[in-house]
Amino acid sequence: MQLKLVTVVPHKFLISGFDGVEIHGAHGFLIDQFLKDEINDRTDEYGGSLENRCRFALEVVDVVVKEIGGDKVGIRLSPFADYSESGDSNPETLGLYMAESLNKFKILYCHMVEPRMKSVFEKVDCLDSLLPMRRTFKRTFISAGGYGREDGNKVVAENRTDLVAYGRLCLANPDLPKRFELNAPLNKYDMSTIYTRDPVVGYTDYPFLETTI
């Protein structure tokens, strides 16, 4: 499989002043579709077994690392999620295999989505955990998915992850670090505007803290 474009884009980002790149291997996008056995129906070396389904993702990582260095590369994965019919019958095994396989590339971080975030709009209670993957991956581990201020601090304090990533809360609160620092009220995000084409509504129209107090 030709990955020439993958070598060009990361290099251009660095030239533009970015510190690094995150490979998007989550949420039903292309790489995730290779990883998941409920959507990957290929019969060649990229389908079937767990190793084959993970081959494309690891090849992308390998190419990008060789181009810009592992210290400038991260990857986002969502083994437990089922976005766009991209589910897997054994997500923990998938997550563990990827976490272990990524170690050899010495990438900067592995960013995984919590099992409770199985779909775009739903946060569910479940017994699954990212802890096995966190213990397997040897470098910085980032957890994401449904966190607030208190449980984000708690999961880091308990060494269940190194860092917590915030998406929707950050979008709705352009000064989220300051609000967390002050334990100030948060703007509520509006899911109906998150995936619109409007360049302002739902993206840059949420108020800063000083305009709400």
Side-chain angles (χ1 to χ4, degrees), residues 4 27 34 37 42 51 61 79 91 93 121 130 150 157 164 167 172 187 191 199-200 202 206:
K4 291 182 180 179
H27 294 161
F34 275 84
D37 62 7
R42 297 177 70 104
E51 293 79 4
V61 173
T93 298
F121 300 105
L130 292 181
E150 287 73 21
V164 171
N187 298 322
M191 287 299 297
V200 175
Y206 287 102

Side-chain angles (χ1 to χ4, degrees), residues 34-35 37 40 42 44-55 97:
F34 275 84
L35 295 173
D37 62 7
N40 183 343
R42 297 177 70 104
D44 58 9
E45 67 270 28
Y46 293 95
S49 69
L50 176 63
E51 293 79 4
N52 281 358
R53 286 184 282 113
C54 293
R55 187 187 308 276
Y97 181 84

Side-chain angles (χ1 to χ4, degrees), residues 27-120:
H27 294 161
F29 288 91
L30 180 62
I31 291 175
D32 197 38
Q33 292 179 26
F34 275 84
L35 295 173
K36 305 292 184 60
D37 62 7
E38 292 181 7
I39 192 170
N40 183 343
D41 58 1
R42 297 177 70 104
T43 57
D44 58 9
E45 67 270 28
Y46 293 95
S49 69
L50 176 63
E51 293 79 4
N52 281 358
R53 286 184 282 113
C54 293
R55 187 187 308 276
F56 178 65
L58 297 174
E59 286 182 352
V60 170
V61 173
D62 182 47
V63 168
V64 176
V65 167
K66 287 178 178 176
E67 179 67 21
I68 64 174
D71 62 327
K72 298 179 181 64
V73 178
I75 189 170
R76 179 176 170 95
L77 299 168
S78 59
F80 293 89
D82 186 1
Y83 286 38
S84 304
E85 301 181 345
S86 296
D88 194 81
S89 62
N90 197 339
E92 181 170 329
T93 298
L94 171 61
L96 283 169
Y97 181 84
M98 283 298 295
E100 178 61 43
S101 299
L102 288 168
N103 283 326
K104 66 180 179 182
F105 299 106
K106 297 182 179 180
I107 60 174
L108 185 61
Y109 66 81
C110 178
H111 177 185
M112 280 200 188
V113 179
E114 287 285 353
R116 61 193 178 192
M117 307 303 293
K118 294 186 182 298
S119 66
V120 177

